[in-house]
Every structure is written in C-alpha cells, then in structure tokens.
C-alpha cells in the first residue's frame, strides 16, 4: 500500500516523464476511479493542456495543468505507467500526449482516486491534512502532539496530525525508536519525541533514496520481519502481532517499551 515514500517516487516519476507535453486526449477507462468529478468534466479540464510541475503532500500527488490540477491518490494498488506501446493491465485513466507517449494511472483494486481540483492548498485545508513529515521541524512536531492522547501509533497514522504515514511506516518508526505502539502519547519523554521525529524522517528519506536506486528496504528493517514469532533483527527478541488503530501491528516484545 503506497505511503509517503512510494508516492514521492511516483511524483518523481511523473515529473521525469510526463511534464511539458500537450495532452491530446484524456481517456477514462473506468469511471469508478474518478472522485466527485464526472468523466466529461475531468477530460475537458485537462485536454489540450500540459502538466508543468508536480507536488506531493503526504500520500497525495498533484500535477499542475495551468489553472487546474490533477489530483491522484493511490489507494492500495495505485501506480503510474508511462509507455508508448503496451498499456498497463489495470489502466483506469490514460493521458495521450502529442508526442505519441501515454501516462496511465493504474489501480487494480480501485481504492485510488483521480480527480481535478483548483488548488492543492485549499484541498489540504479542506481535508484537514496535517503537515508533510518531510517539511516538518521538531518544534512543530512537539506542538502537534502536545495535549494529544491515545496510542503513539494512532497519532503517527492520523492524517490530520501529520500526513503520509500509514501502517507500515508507523510500525517501522516505532520499532526503530524502541517505543511500543500502544505507549500513550502523553507518556513520551521529550527525548523520545525527538527520537521518533528523527527516526521517522530518516526512514522516509532512506527508503526514498533506496527506491530511487531500485533497492529494497534495508535488511534490518521491521518490514522484512512482519511475522508472528519472528526473531527481532535488532535485539533477538520476538516479534508479535496485535491490532492497534484497527490495523495489524507488528512489534518486538523485548526492545520496544
Ligand atoms: Zn527487538
């Protein structure tokens, strides 16, 4: 399921391949991928224009088409494919460019959304999205979580607090910060808050950088050990499965407290 690092990679891919080419035609192959916008309105809003820049906020991607923006959310299985001949199997929307190339937004399971919006900043306010962790400073992070309650994992996943962290990177951040997922936020020490903040950003930046090179997550990351009873790659303890914030959670019983 795409979280911030994966969407950042899509944003870079989009920017590398699909900018400054006139959109000759917009094909909506499956209307279920569209948000509130109707097919004809969506196509008319983008046809004849060109994408000039890409923005990402949390798990949302926005592409400027001059006065109107394409908004993409990748749901569980969203992906982009820039191609000349063979369209991706689950293409739901395709932009045909003047130069004969195409950009497909593909999504097998259809939990993603393609939409047009007027202004990403207004969208971010309307959906009450918190700041993006890569734009965040420690002092602001402290302010955001002050007076909050509940499990630390829930807080990291709340898009209105910070935008872009999902189940996998919330678990990874807590695993590497040695904090138990259920630890109440108001019981974190000042030093632990700093550790969570720096660890979260380091993980996100590391994964983006490795994805760019075509590398997988580092071997000692929890993501490779998400299995009940697995051996903790950090301390040799036992990985357990639980449910936090309604989501399957993996953590180490020994080093996460
Ligand atoms: Zn451990």
């Amino acid at each position: 399921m795409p979280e911030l690092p994966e969407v950042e990679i899509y944003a870079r891919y989009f920017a590398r391949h699909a900018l400054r080419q006139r959109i000759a035609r917009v094909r909506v192959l499956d209307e279920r991928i569209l948000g509130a916008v109707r097919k004809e309105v969506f196509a008319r809003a983008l046809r004849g224009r060109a994408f000039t820049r890409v923005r990402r906020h949390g798990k949302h991607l926005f592409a400027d088409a001059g006065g109107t923006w394409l908004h993409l959310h990748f749901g569980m299985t969203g992906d982009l494919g820039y191609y000349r001949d063979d369209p991706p199997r689950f293409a739901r929307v395709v932009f045909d460019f003047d130069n004969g190339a195409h950009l497909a937004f593909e999504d097998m399971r259809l939990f993603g959304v393609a939409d047009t919006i007027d202004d990403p900043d207004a969208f971010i306010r309307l959906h009450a999205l918190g700041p993006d962790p890569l734009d965040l400073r420690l002092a602001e992070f402290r302010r955001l979580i002050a007076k909050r309650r509940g499990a630390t994992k829930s807080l990291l996943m709340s898009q209105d607090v910070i935008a872009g962290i999902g189940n996998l990177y919330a678990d990874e951040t807590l695993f590497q910060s040695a904090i138990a997922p259920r630890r109440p936020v108001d019981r974190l020490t000042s030093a632990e808050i700093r550790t969570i903040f720096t660890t979260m950003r380091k993980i996100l930046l590391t994964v983006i950088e490795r994805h760019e090179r075509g590398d997988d997550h580092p071997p000692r990351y929890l993501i490779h050990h998400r299995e009940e009873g697995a051996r903790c790659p950090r301390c040799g303890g036992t990985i357990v499965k639980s449910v936090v914030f309604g989501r399957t959670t993996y953590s180490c019983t020994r080093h996460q407290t």
Side-chain angles (χ1 to χ4, degrees):
M1 187 161 172
E3 297 184 29
L4 187 155
E6 291 77 29
V7 179
E8 175 64 23
I9 294 300
Y10 296 146
R12 292 180 186 190
Y13 179 89
F14 195 123
R16 202 156 53 234
H17 293 292
L19 298 187
R20 293 174 294 279
Q21 300 160 41
R22 187 177 165 276
I23 303 164
R25 198 154 68 115
V26 179
R27 287 183 285 139
V28 177
L29 306 180
D30 191 327
E31 289 184 58
R32 291 175 293 173
I33 200 72
L34 297 180
V37 68
R38 284 192 301 117
K39 185 175 165 177
E40 296 74 19
V41 175
F42 179 81
R44 204 182 314 128
L46 297 169
R47 192 172 49 224
R49 296 172 182 260
F51 298 115
T52 54
R53 62 187 162 134
V54 176
R55 252 184 87 175
R56 181 195 55 74
H57 187 94
K59 305 180 204 173
H60 299 265
L61 186 154
F62 307 99
D64 189 357
T68 193
W69 291 71
L70 169 68
H71 163 237
L72 298 177
H73 189 272
F74 293 83
M76 293 185 75
T77 54
D79 202 350
L80 293 172
Y82 185 80
Y83 67 97
R84 290 210 166 256
D85 298 321
D86 298 318
R89 182 167 166 206
F90 296 105
R92 308 299 186 184
V93 171
V94 176
F95 301 98
D96 297 336
F97 297 114
D98 261 358
N99 62 5
H102 316 270
L103 179 71
F105 178 49
E106 47 181 315
D107 187 5
M108 182 179 71
R109 296 192 57 186
L110 284 161
F111 286 105
V113 174
D115 220 338
T116 47
I117 61 165
D118 292 335
D119 173 18
D121 292 313
F123 178 93
I124 290 162
R125 281 194 301 276
L126 180 70
H127 292 265
L129 296 175
D132 188 276
L134 297 186
D135 298 331
L136 194 58
R137 288 167 180 278
L138 176 60
E140 194 186 355
F141 184 63
R142 289 190 190 284
R143 270 199 302 279
L144 286 168
I145 69 174
K147 293 177 196 149
R148 292 267 176 171
R149 283 159 176 276
T152 302
K153 175 169 178 179
S154 315
L155 179 104
L156 292 178
M157 287 184 66
S158 297
Q159 300 298 300
D160 59 331
V161 179
I162 45 172
I165 305 289
N167 197 41
L168 288 179
Y169 291 107
D171 280 4
E172 192 70 55
T173 296
L174 295 170
F175 176 80
Q176 294 192 28
S177 303
I179 305 287
R182 286 182 189 281
R183 173 92 77 83
V185 172
D186 51 351
R187 304 264 179 81
L188 294 171
T189 66
S190 174
E192 285 171 336
I193 292 171
R194 176 196 289 272
T195 300
I196 291 171
F197 176 78
T198 53
T199 304
M200 169 180 74
R201 287 173 50 97
K202 180 155 177 274
I203 290 168
L204 296 172
L205 292 167
T206 300
V207 172
I208 290 167
E209 188 201 315
R210 290 178 68 103
H211 277 358
E212 277 277 86
R213 297 201 307 259
D215 289 342
D216 199 359
H217 299 76
R220 280 164 61 88
Y221 272 33
L222 173 68
I223 197 163
H224 299 296
H225 307 270
R226 294 176 66 85
E227 192 188 333
E228 174 86 40
R231 189 165 179 273
C232 172
R234 199 180 153 108
C235 75
T238 306
I239 302 294
V240 290
K241 181 172 151 180
S242 61
V243 175
V244 182
F245 201 56
R247 302 292 301 274
T248 303
T249 299
Y250 291 90
S251 58
C252 172
T253 49
R254 190 190 287 176
H255 85 266
Q256 289 181 255
T257 60

